[in-house]
Amino acid sequence: MDNAAFEMHEGATQNIPPVGKTNTIFRMEKKRPWSLMSIFLVCLLACTVTTAVGVLILSLVYINNSQPHLEPKPQATTIPILQKDVDPKFQFLNHLPKSKVFEFSGGAIQWARYRNNVKDYLSIEEEAFGSSLNSQRSQMTLGTLRIKSNGLRAPHWHFNANEHGYLVQGTAWIGVVDDGHVVTTYNVTAGQVIFFPKNTLHWIKNVGHEDCFFLLFFSTHDELQTLDLDDVFFSTPEDIASRSLKPEGGVNFIRTFQKQKEDQGVNLPPNLAELVMNASYTQSPESLVWRYFYDLKGSKEYRFPGGIIQLAQYWKNGSELSNNEKIFSEFLNQHQNTLALSTVRIYNNGLRQPHFHFNANEMGYVISGCAKVGIINTQGTIEFDIHVGDVMFFPIGNQHYIKSACDEDLLLLLAFSTGDQLQTLDMDDYFQATADHILAQLFFKKQNEFKKIPKFTEDQAINLP
């Protein structure tokens, strides 16, 4: 716009220009309002577009944030879990002699078991074994109990497990108090089995000159829960104990008991001769004893070319059992979650051929000898060596084999997590039972080739080359 037009618009004292110029100015004045309107509309459009773009961006941000799968995971879950460097064989193998020894005045205990607190394991290998027992719901825990001469495993009971024991060495006197207040006492020697139902008070006293060494299996894969008699007594209020026991002197007599600083789980007072003047180790009638006792070493031997098996279990058909053995078998069957025990002797170079169990997990302890063990499951084959004191675990259905590898016989104590008769299938049996044309199709091998696999009249469960 020129200066004349501006001046005319601002003041009326200016001279009126010629008519031609007036028309030009008029046209320019007429155009001015439309230009301002255009500017306004453009600004409005720009604001609208800017607002729309802003809203769109905010919407996209909101949608993006509202979808968790597009958002980084919280820091706690993005920290990588460090896999512990442990050989897979330790799911099935525990070097028990390397585990913690719980020392007492009268002996010692060691455990192959699951622990609630991982800090209680001494090694990642021990943790792997304990976790395997628990995750596979093995229903088994193993402990070794060594009692010095005259030592006493204090009277106690277990809340959550039956107990099955095997005496490897020594002589012991056992006491059991059942729910009918019936006391049963008996003596055991090496090679015999003891049994204590869950929540049954019992004790073990070494009455020989050498150490007693027990292998104890408990029917739980959780941490074992136990109460000792002395702990219960000192946890009971004095007046309650006095009213219950009614001793001479009443509560004052109760107050004469002094709790020892050391755990008395396996007890042997230094002044025992002064405390005990006349001990008697009586034997109850056999009808009572055989509920809690089984003479495994004297039971029937199942002989094979490569070794011997003996069993302490429930038998559905007890026709071959003695009257006393029937008492034990039937008493086991009256209780839930009991175990079956077995000794397996494998001669030098003998093989307990590949087999699996339909109805039980298996746990074993090496009493003598050494061997190579293999376990075959969905993850493949794992082999490892076992020696005296080692513990092994075979989950239900997992095929496994044991080959004796020492000059001396391999002697194992095995426990199975079933109160019924053990059900087992060996490799040669299921091969012979499978139709040869099925095998031919499976292995891409001519049908008549399978006639080369012999069928033996003698059971080859433990065989020799």
Side-chain angles (χ1 to χ4, degrees):
M1 188 179 293
D2 56 19
N3 291 334
F6 181 75
E7 289 172 357
M8 182 179 177
H9 186 74
E10 294 290 334
T13 59
Q14 303 295 329
N15 294 327
I16 299 173
V19 174
K21 194 171 183 178
T22 301
N23 291 337
T24 302
I25 294 172
F26 175 76
R27 286 195 298 270
M28 294 179 67
E29 285 290 324
K30 187 174 181 180
K31 289 179 180 180
R32 182 178 178 184
W34 288 103
S35 298
L36 292 174
M37 180 62 71
S38 299
I39 293 170
F40 170 76
L41 290 174
V42 169
C43 291
L44 180 61
L45 180 61
C47 290
T48 303
V49 171
T50 302
T51 302
V53 170
V55 170
L56 179 61
I57 292 172
L58 290 174
S59 299
L60 291 174
V61 170
Y62 174 78
I63 292 173
N64 186 58
N65 289 338
S66 67
Q67 298 181 12
H69 66 279
L70 297 178
E71 192 177 68
K73 293 181 180 180
Q75 185 176 2
T77 58
T78 56
I79 297 175
I81 298 174
L82 298 177
Q83 298 296 327
K84 295 180 178 179
D85 186 17
V86 57
D87 192 316
K89 71 181 181 183
F90 288 107
Q91 299 173 71
F92 314 107
L93 172 65
N94 178 287
H95 293 310
L96 189 57
K98 296 182 180 179
S99 68
K100 181 177 179 180
V101 180
F102 294 85
E103 297 277 4
F104 303 89
S105 59
I109 297 175
Q110 286 183 284
W111 294 103
R113 67 177 182 180
Y114 168 75
R115 298 180 183 278
N116 292 327
N117 187 349
V118 295
K119 294 180 180 179
D120 290 337
Y121 294 111
L122 289 187
S123 65
I124 57 174
E125 291 82 9
E126 191 178 39
E127 180 185 349
F129 186 81
S131 299
S132 178
L133 292 182
N134 187 259
S135 64
Q136 297 281 354
R137 304 190 66 79
S138 67
Q139 294 185 17
M140 284 187 289
T141 287
L142 170 65
T144 61
L145 170 63
R146 186 174 296 278
I147 308 177
K148 299 175 184 178
S149 179
N150 290 317
L152 169 70
R153 174 63 183 102
H156 63 284
W157 62 93
H158 309 290
F159 295 153
N160 61 336
N162 300 299
E163 179 179 350
H164 299 250
Y166 176 87
L167 182 54
V168 178
Q169 170 189 296
T171 305
W173 185 63
I174 309 295
V176 185
V177 182
D178 67 17
D179 55 0
H181 307 166
V182 176
V183 181
T184 302
T185 56
Y186 57 95
N187 292 280
V188 293
T189 57
Q192 296 177 328
V193 166
I194 56 178
F195 170 61
F196 309 123
K198 181 171 64 176
N199 287 321
T200 299
L201 178 74
H202 57 279
W203 67 79
I204 305 174
K205 164 81 174 179
N206 185 343
V207 294
H209 298 295
E210 63 178 342
D211 287 358
C212 279
F213 184 62
F214 282 92
L215 301 177
L216 304 176
F217 290 92
F218 302 87
S219 61
T220 181
H221 49 260
D222 293 321
E223 194 152 359
L224 187 64
Q225 299 175 15
T226 303
L227 263 182
D228 287 2
L229 190 150
D230 59 327
D231 292 330
V232 174
F233 177 83
F234 287 112
S235 298
T236 304
E238 294 174 342
D239 61 321
I240 300 299
S242 175
R243 289 185 59 178
S244 300
L245 301 177
K246 300 187 182 301
E248 293 183 14
V251 72
N252 291 327
F253 174 78
I254 298 298
R255 288 170 181 164
T256 63
F257 288 78
Q258 297 296 318
K259 184 174 178 61
Q260 303 298 309
K261 293 180 180 179
E262 298 81 14
D263 192 328
Q264 297 298 304
V266 189
N267 157 287
L268 184 57
N271 60 338
L272 180 62
E274 300 175 9
L275 302 175
V276 179
M277 305 296 181
N278 184 22
S280 61
Y281 306 110
T282 58
Q283 182 92 355
S284 297
E286 290 189 342
S287 59
L288 294 177
V289 169
W290 277 79
R291 296 186 302 170
Y292 310 106
F293 165 87
Y294 192 83
D295 184 15
L296 185 56
K297 68 179 180 182
S299 66
K300 180 178 178 179
E301 294 183 343
Y302 294 86
R303 291 187 169 272
F304 306 91
I308 301 170
I309 294 177
Q310 292 178 282
L311 290 160
Q313 66 169 9
Y314 165 69
W315 296 91
K316 291 183 179 179
N317 181 0
S319 60
E320 295 186 6
L321 301 179
S322 69
N323 290 333
N324 286 335
E325 289 173 336
K326 287 179 182 178
I327 294 173
F328 180 82
S329 173
E330 293 168 0
F331 192 67
L332 279 186
N333 192 239
Q334 293 172 14
H335 295 83
Q336 294 183 341
N337 301 322
T338 56
L339 306 176
L341 294 190
S342 170
T343 53
V344 176
R345 182 178 296 277
I346 304 178
Y347 306 143
N348 175 35
N349 209 28
L351 170 69
R352 176 64 183 98
Q353 69 161 283
H355 63 284
F356 65 92
H357 308 292
F358 294 108
N359 62 337
N361 298 296
E362 177 181 347
M363 185 183 286
Y365 178 93
V366 183
I367 297 174
S368 64
C370 64
K372 181 174 288 294
V373 171
I375 182 167
I376 303 169
N377 55 26
T378 56
Q379 299 174 342
T381 303
I382 296 176
E383 282 195 328
F384 51 87
D385 296 326
I386 55 173
H387 302 86
V388 174
D390 285 342
V391 178
M392 53 198 170
F393 168 60
F394 305 122
I396 186 171
N398 283 218
Q399 181 164 278
H400 53 281
Y401 54 87
I402 306 169
K403 181 181 180 298
S404 179
C406 287
D407 292 337
E408 65 177 321
D409 290 353
L410 174 70
L411 180 60
L412 305 171
L413 179 68
L414 305 178
F416 303 90
S417 62
T418 179
D420 293 325
Q421 190 166 322
L422 185 63
Q423 299 173 7
T424 302
L425 190 61
D426 289 353
M427 186 176 189
D428 66 334
D429 291 329
Y430 64 70
F431 254 79
Q432 292 291 351
T434 304
D436 55 8
H437 65 86
I438 297 296
L439 296 174
Q441 180 174 338
L442 176 62
F443 291 105
F444 292 80
K445 202 170 184 65
K446 290 183 178 180
Q447 185 173 350
N448 59 6
E449 287 286 295
F450 290 94
K451 298 186 184 301
K452 295 180 180 179
I453 300 176
K455 182 177 291 187
F456 294 93
T457 56
E458 185 179 14
D459 195 329
Q460 298 293 305
I462 309 176
N463 66 25
L464 285 171

